[in-house]
Amino acid sequence: MRIENMDMGKGITLWVLPTKKFKTVTISFCFHRDLNEDYTYNALIPAVLKRGCEGFETLKDIERHLESLYGALFDVGVQKKGERQVLRFSMEVVNDDYLAEQGILAQAFYFLNRVINRPVLENGGFKKSYVAQEKENLKNRIKSLVNDKIQYSLERCAQEMCKGEKYSRYVFGNINELENLDDARLYSVYCDVTQSSPLDVFVVGDIDPAKVRLLLERSLSMERKQVRTIPKTTYKKLQVVPKTVTEEMDVNQGKLAMGFRTNINATDKEYFPLLVYSSILGGGPHSKLFINVREKASLAYYAFARLEKFKGLMFIGAGIDFDKYEQTVNIIMEQLDAVAKGHITQQEFEGAINALVTSLKGSMDQPSQLIDYYLGNSVMDSDITVEELIERIKGVTVDQVVEVSDRIKLDTIYFLRNRKRGYVIHEKRN
């Protein structure tokens, strides 16, 4: 499954993945933004644009239009890829080949162009009522992070670990900035997004790349200026003094999150053994964390390891009893030490490879996951296909896994525990 990419000029790249697997066609416009001081504004813009555009000024108008396109799906979002934000506008429509009526794909392109380039305006800015409502929705979304204690603990670990680095910024923005949001600046940032941000357009389905290119050229009416260069994410930090951060809340179960610097990103040749390393450590029922921390020692309700391939980070998460903190940290570090010494069983190694391959093959059945994978390639300037990645993983040896363990350094231990004396945060250097 080979994706074809075409330079459309003015910082726009079209990525087309022709495949007969799907009866629908998925389109995704992805604007790349530096994770800088505008990050709260960036996070709000897709939601405001989703509220309406010229010709479809309300959500009801948009819903009626999507119904007329045989139940087309439309959504927007914002993602964090290392130290950049990606503002996404997506549609999924039934392939014209399965309909008596033709031109549905073309209408999807024209609709997305309107949403992005013809927003509902008043007095030279966005419609104030839309901004006010979406500010409130975004504020509630930021606040709701604390309701998912696993995600909250991982996010807090990343924030503490990368304090002073752009990566510490939360993808959905900051509540204080939302409350003091400047409407004129919001519109100015929007103009900068459409005029100066690198844009990737992904299209996945049983389609002709030449036809898709023509549709994009005809439908896109975007005024483009000098395109910004997004700085590469910094990911190497060899000198690390580990620290521990404890936060107290009204919780019934402790949430342990451990952040490590791998000093490897997805373009390094060591990335493939790192994937296997992470899976051996905490990638499923075959892993050392699952077997030794959860099953044998009965210390954790769950235990996993996951990689952040753009920033070169690895996080370990575990749900534990409050009084099992030190014991759990010690046994987790013993698992890392065991991998470093090459104490890896055949079952753990083969289980890790199989889990990674199965997951990647599964992603090939989901247009959204395929787009996310190739969006990652765009961010990293990589051209490795999913199939090639699978083959590289299958070629990893135990010795290579042991070698990458030298690069992995503990940076931050974050522990969310029950409240003792009100809401407090403790921090200490180990």
Side-chain angles (χ1 to χ4, degrees), residues 217-243:
E217 286 173 340
R218 287 179 174 174
S219 62
L220 201 59
S221 59
M222 192 178 290
E223 181 188 349
R224 298 286 278 178
K225 295 182 177 175
Q226 183 70 33
V227 178
R228 292 179 182 277
T229 300
I230 309 293
K232 289 189 179 299
T233 297
T234 56
Y235 68 96
K236 289 192 176 178
K237 189 175 181 181
L238 298 175
Q239 301 300 321
V240 177
V241 179
K243 65 181 178 184

Side-chain angles (χ1 to χ4, degrees), residues 44-315:
L44 183 61
I45 286 168
V48 173
L49 295 181
K50 188 183 179 185
R51 293 298 302 268
C53 60
E54 287 182 11
F56 310 103
E57 298 204 350
T58 67
L59 286 173
K60 276 193 175 179
D61 293 336
I62 289 176
E63 285 173 12
R64 286 194 197 100
H65 181 58
L66 295 176
E67 285 172 10
S68 76
L69 299 180
Y70 297 90
L73 302 176
F74 164 58
D75 200 7
V76 302
V78 59
Q79 296 173 279
K80 186 162 82 170
K81 303 284 187 188
E83 292 177 342
R84 73 172 62 186
Q85 274 174 304
V86 177
L87 282 56
R88 183 177 48 77
F89 303 83
S90 300
M91 277 192 83
E92 182 178 348
V93 295
V94 178
N95 194 310
D96 286 342
D97 292 347
Y98 297 97
L99 298 170
E101 179 185 357
Q102 295 295 295
I104 300 301
L105 180 61
Q107 291 191 57
F109 272 100
Y110 280 98
F111 173 73
L112 283 170
N113 178 65
R114 280 196 190 196
V115 168
I116 294 167
N117 295 305
R118 301 286 183 270
V120 180
L121 302 178
E122 61 183 23
N123 301 320
F126 290 124
K127 188 171 182 175
K128 288 189 180 301
S129 61
Y130 287 178
V131 173
Q133 289 161 13
E134 293 309 323
K135 273 172 60 179
E136 200 60 30
N137 289 339
L138 189 58
K139 195 188 302 181
N140 291 334
R141 181 163 193 172
I142 295 170
K143 286 180 179 176
S144 70
L145 174 64
V146 76
N147 298 329
D148 182 341
K149 297 297 188 293
I150 296 175
Q151 289 305 317
Y152 177 81
S153 61
L154 292 169
E155 180 65 28
R156 287 287 297 117
C157 182
Q159 289 173 354
E160 295 291 341
M161 183 175 176
C162 299
K163 199 176 281 185
E165 301 173 58
K166 286 188 285 188
Y167 188 79
S168 64
R169 291 174 173 143
Y170 186 43
V171 64
F172 295 117
N174 175 282
I175 286 182
N176 291 334
E177 289 195 19
L178 268 179
E179 289 174 345
N180 297 295
L181 187 127
D182 182 293
D183 286 353
R185 182 179 168 192
L186 180 67
Y187 188 69
S188 173
V189 172
Y190 156 73
C191 292
D192 192 60
V193 168
T194 57
Q195 294 171 0
S196 307
S197 297
L199 168 62
D200 285 321
V201 180
F202 295 90
V203 184
V204 176
D206 187 8
I207 30 83
D208 174 12
K211 178 184 175 185
V212 171
R213 177 173 187 143
L214 195 61
L215 285 175
L216 181 62
E217 286 173 340
R218 287 179 174 174
S219 62
L220 201 59
S221 59
M222 192 178 290
E223 181 188 349
R224 298 286 278 178
K225 295 182 177 175
Q226 183 70 33
V227 178
R228 292 179 182 277
T229 300
I230 309 293
K232 289 189 179 299
T233 297
T234 56
Y235 68 96
K236 289 192 176 178
K237 189 175 181 181
L238 298 175
Q239 301 300 321
V240 177
V241 179
K243 65 181 178 184
T244 301
V245 177
T246 304
E247 190 169 350
E248 298 179 3
M249 274 189 197
D250 291 327
V251 292
N252 297 320
Q253 185 189 99
K255 295 288 184 286
L256 174 66
M258 301 173 70
F260 297 80
R261 304 272 179 175
T262 71
N263 295 295
I264 297 168
N265 76 8
T267 61
D268 293 324
K269 67 181 187 319
E270 294 87 355
Y271 176 63
F272 310 106
L274 178 65
L275 280 169
V276 180
Y277 174 100
S278 174
S279 186
I280 289 171
L281 194 62
H286 61 275
S287 69
K288 287 186 176 295
L289 293 180
F290 186 91
I291 294 170
N292 298 311
V293 180
R294 184 180 184 274
E295 295 296 296
K296 289 185 179 176
S298 299
L299 287 173
Y301 300 97
Y302 65 85
F304 62 83
R306 76 171 56 153
L307 292 175
E308 203 288 347
K309 66 180 182 180
F310 305 99
K311 183 66 177 170
L313 307 178
M314 182 177 74
F315 295 98

